[in-house]
Amino acid sequence: LANRIGDLAAALGAAWRSNPERGLYKTTDGGGEWQYSAEASSPSGGILVHQALTESPSRDALLEIVDEHDYPIWRALGLVLQGSALTAVGRLDEGSALSDRGIALYQGLQTPPVFWPLLLSLRARGLADARRPVEALAVVDEAIATIPEQHVLYPELGLLNGDLLLAEGDVVGAELRFRSAFDVSRDLGVRMPQLRAATRIARLRALDADAIESLRGVYETFTEGFDSPDLVEARAVLAEVDVPIP
């Protein structure tokens, strides 16, 4: 693989703010020297892997290697990841087509469905980004049905499900999903989904006292990352009701 396309590595740097070290680096000598290859397109660094798949000229070579060595399961995963990344940056038709191909390929494999919840969650997000909410709801419902509620994927799926329900006008259903996402995030100790759920609930509940207090409690557990979008949004909600923020 290294001889064919060179190796890529992603450097995050400081996790919650932009920094000049963050980006993609490439080596052509097995790791002896690394050269800066591409700047990360997200201030939080969260799109680095997607950039490696979608913006690098290595993409086609990677897929060739997968085919050459008969790794259809990884080709399916790669296609869905690529499709999700392309959809997220606005290349809707191309991204949706790639994701559909990956899903179809995976469904045709005789393999344990270990990656199926992940693939469904990626596909649901891609459909939501492509502004296909009815299809996205069906896929996210299927994804939720394949996992226990205490699964690590559940908080994000619950939030996406709530967002889609809210977009369709189902306020009650959306709040139920946001509350379950909040509870599971708390139980699993994943604070960012918990914060996002608390922010959504506070807005839905017209900033009532209990919802604001819940949001404030989660917000105050953070000690860094205050310029990240989720924390900025939570802070803005708290500011609307003049909640003092340390």
Side-chain angles (χ1 to χ4, degrees), residues 190-214:
V190 286
R191 290 180 300 156
M192 197 61 82
Q194 186 184 11
L195 180 75
R196 290 200 291 273
T199 301
R200 286 162 168 78
I201 293 167
R203 290 200 181 281
L204 276 182
R205 300 298 297 171
L207 308 178
D208 74 21
D210 289 342
I212 288 296
E213 181 61 23
S214 178

Side-chain angles (χ1 to χ4, degrees), residues 63-239:
L63 291 175
E64 287 174 9
I65 291 168
V66 166
D67 286 339
E68 181 180 314
H69 294 279
D70 192 23
Y71 299 143
I73 188 172
W74 297 110
R75 180 172 180 82
L77 288 167
L79 287 169
V80 176
L81 282 168
Q82 285 183 315
S84 299
L86 291 173
T87 303
V89 297
R91 293 161 65 178
L92 305 182
D93 292 340
E94 184 180 357
S96 293
L98 280 174
S99 291
D100 286 342
R101 284 174 55 199
I103 291 287
L105 175 58
Y106 192 86
Q107 287 178 310
L109 298 176
Q110 297 297 317
T111 182
V114 60
F115 293 116
W116 190 234
L118 174 61
L119 288 177
L120 289 175
S121 69
L122 290 168
R123 187 64 185 119
R125 173 60 66 184
L127 289 167
D129 289 339
R131 296 182 291 278
R132 294 159 61 181
V134 175
E135 294 171 78
L137 269 171
V139 174
V140 78
D141 283 343
E142 182 181 355
I144 288 172
T146 66
I147 59 174
E149 193 172 80
Q150 294 294 316
H151 194 281
V152 67
L153 288 176
Y154 180 81
E156 293 294 346
L157 286 169
L159 288 169
L160 176 57
N161 187 253
D163 289 340
L164 291 166
L165 289 170
L166 190 60
E168 293 294 296
D170 185 355
V171 177
V172 174
E175 183 175 352
L176 287 173
R177 277 301 188 196
F178 293 150
R179 289 192 180 279
S180 66
F182 179 94
D183 292 341
V184 174
S185 297
R186 179 197 58 213
D187 295 344
L188 294 176
V190 286
R191 290 180 300 156
M192 197 61 82
Q194 186 184 11
L195 180 75
R196 290 200 291 273
T199 301
R200 286 162 168 78
I201 293 167
R203 290 200 181 281
L204 276 182
R205 300 298 297 171
L207 308 178
D208 74 21
D210 289 342
I212 288 296
E213 181 61 23
S214 178
L215 175 58
R216 184 189 64 79
V218 180
Y219 182 89
E220 289 182 351
T221 66
F222 287 85
T223 59
E224 60 181 345
F226 294 108
D227 59 346
S228 66
D230 293 323
L231 283 160
V232 169
E233 183 183 5
R235 192 161 59 246
V237 172
L238 294 171

